[in-house]
Amino acid sequence: MRAAPRKGIQMGLVLTAAVALTLMLAGCDEHLAEGPVAIRKDGEALLVAVCAAIAPDFISMEERAPDDVWVRFWETSSELQLDEGSILSTDDRAVGIAGDVTNSPHLLPRSDVSILIKETDRKSSIHGVFLLGDAGLSESQWLQTDGSLTSEPCES
């Protein structure tokens, strides 16, 4: 009768190992958390408000139209310092940001936008996935990762 509990423990270990391996192979970062980041539209540009200080060495922005694949429209591997409240624009070719992929996003209604700001040395990241509504992205309010709209980008 002792074989049954042992077999259950073995199955649990195998399942845990399988889940861990899947996460590693998928490239999941254990320190990846939603926010603090917000977005809004400014003409044809996307504004990204970074609501925590970070010194990233990699920034990636992607979008996905409804029922389509993710497409990277902005990427940089520059080292810079972003203070809490810093705002990045896809139109701004700021000093210190060397964009490897710098296309204008489409920001279509009902599409998704993903922002990844990664600090490799500290193994921390700021990440946000935003679901644009039927009206698309607002030019007057900031879209938060929880789907709410705010007048200020980094409201607590």
Side-chain angles (χ1 to χ4, degrees), residues 2 6 25 36 45 63 82 86 91 98 104 116 130 133:
R2 292 187 185 187
R6 188 173 196 177
L25 292 175
E63 67 180 333
L82 298 174
S86 294
D91 264 359
S104 294
L116 175 62
F130 302 88

Side-chain angles (χ1 to χ4, degrees), residues 36-129:
V37 62
I39 62 172
R40 81 173 173 88
K41 193 174 178 182
D42 182 27
E44 297 298 312
L46 176 68
L47 299 182
V48 177
V50 181
C51 300
I54 189 168
D57 52 11
F58 179 78
I59 302 172
S60 173
M61 301 180 198
E62 298 179 340
E63 67 180 333
R64 178 177 62 189
D67 302 321
D68 207 348
V69 297
W70 285 101
V71 175
R72 183 166 294 154
F73 62 86
W74 206 87
E75 178 180 297
T76 182
S77 54
S78 298
E79 293 182 20
L80 40 122
Q81 176 63 47
L82 298 174
D83 295 323
E84 181 178 339
S86 294
I87 297 178
L88 302 173
S89 170
T90 56
D91 264 359
D92 186 17
R93 305 296 181 247
V95 176
I97 300 179
D100 300 320
V101 178
T102 52
N103 301 313
S104 294
H106 295 101
L107 304 174
L108 300 172
R110 296 186 326 274
S111 60
D112 304 321
V113 175
S114 173
I115 308 295
L116 175 62
I117 303 170
K118 187 167 179 63
E119 186 175 1
T120 305
D121 289 349
R122 293 182 58 202
K123 296 183 180 175
S124 63
S125 300
I126 293 174
H127 180 249
V129 176

